[in-house]
Amino acid sequence: MPITEPEGWIPVAVGIARDPIGHLLVDQRPMDKVYPGKWEFPGGKLEPGESVFKALVREFREELGLEIIRAESAFVVRHRYPDRSVELNVWRVIDCSGEATGREGQVVRWVPPWELPGLDFLEGNQTIVERIIREVGS
């Protein structure tokens, strides 16, 4: 089902993917994009009429070369930047195939959860990092 954009909020699909040993997939924004060098969880903006799941599948395929087999909706985070407001629809990627590569020139890494706080994440992704750390610690 497509998400209808709340007035002023840009809907974004975000995937939290874990490898078999529990490391999480993150990527670093290329230097030619807005917020260069910042780390984020992979995903991207929804196209008009696109569901969050379809956007997630498309973004993982286009940006990382990964095929999502199964994912489940987890939670939503809203964040206001000076130039835009984003609604991050966070999904847990349960199963995917392929090898993650930065197809748009971005650095891609699998990192253990305890290393997440040491990376310079986008502000909107900070809440996601905090939630992951809480879940791992409990």
Side-chain angles (χ1 to χ4, degrees):
M1 174 164 74
I3 294 280
T4 55
E5 183 174 327
E7 192 164 330
W9 294 92
I10 300 167
V12 177
V14 177
I16 306 297
R18 292 182 191 266
D19 69 7
I21 58 173
H23 291 177
L24 298 130
L25 183 61
V26 296
D27 61 7
Q28 189 176 35
R29 296 183 62 80
M31 291 301 150
D32 63 343
K33 289 202 173 181
V34 67
Y35 304 109
K38 294 282 190 177
W39 289 91
E40 64 185 350
F41 293 97
K45 292 185 272 186
L46 276 66
E47 294 178 352
E50 187 176 43
S51 72
V52 175
F53 180 73
K54 285 188 177 186
L56 188 66
V57 168
R58 177 181 49 77
E59 291 286 346
F60 266 58
R61 182 182 300 128
E62 290 174 359
E63 294 184 4
L64 303 167
L66 292 175
E67 290 295 327
I68 292 179
I69 298 165
R70 195 165 68 105
E72 64 184 19
S73 179
F75 55 92
V76 174
V77 173
R78 285 186 170 180
H79 184 79
R80 290 188 190 276
Y81 290 96
D83 61 334
R84 69 191 72 187
S85 298
V86 295
E87 181 178 73
L88 306 175
N89 296 273
V90 182
W91 284 57
R92 287 185 182 89
V93 177
I94 309 299
D95 192 14
C96 65
S97 64
E99 187 171 330
T101 57
R103 298 175 108 186
E104 295 184 343
Q106 76 275 35
V107 175
V108 175
R109 288 180 47 199
W110 292 94
V111 297
W114 58 87
E115 285 186 16
L116 295 174
L119 297 176
D120 186 17
F121 272 91
L122 283 169
E123 288 177 25
N125 278 228
Q126 287 294 340
T127 302
I128 301 170
V129 169
E130 291 165 9
R131 187 154 177 171
I132 289 169
I133 297 303
R134 272 196 316 271
E135 288 175 4
V136 169
S138 54

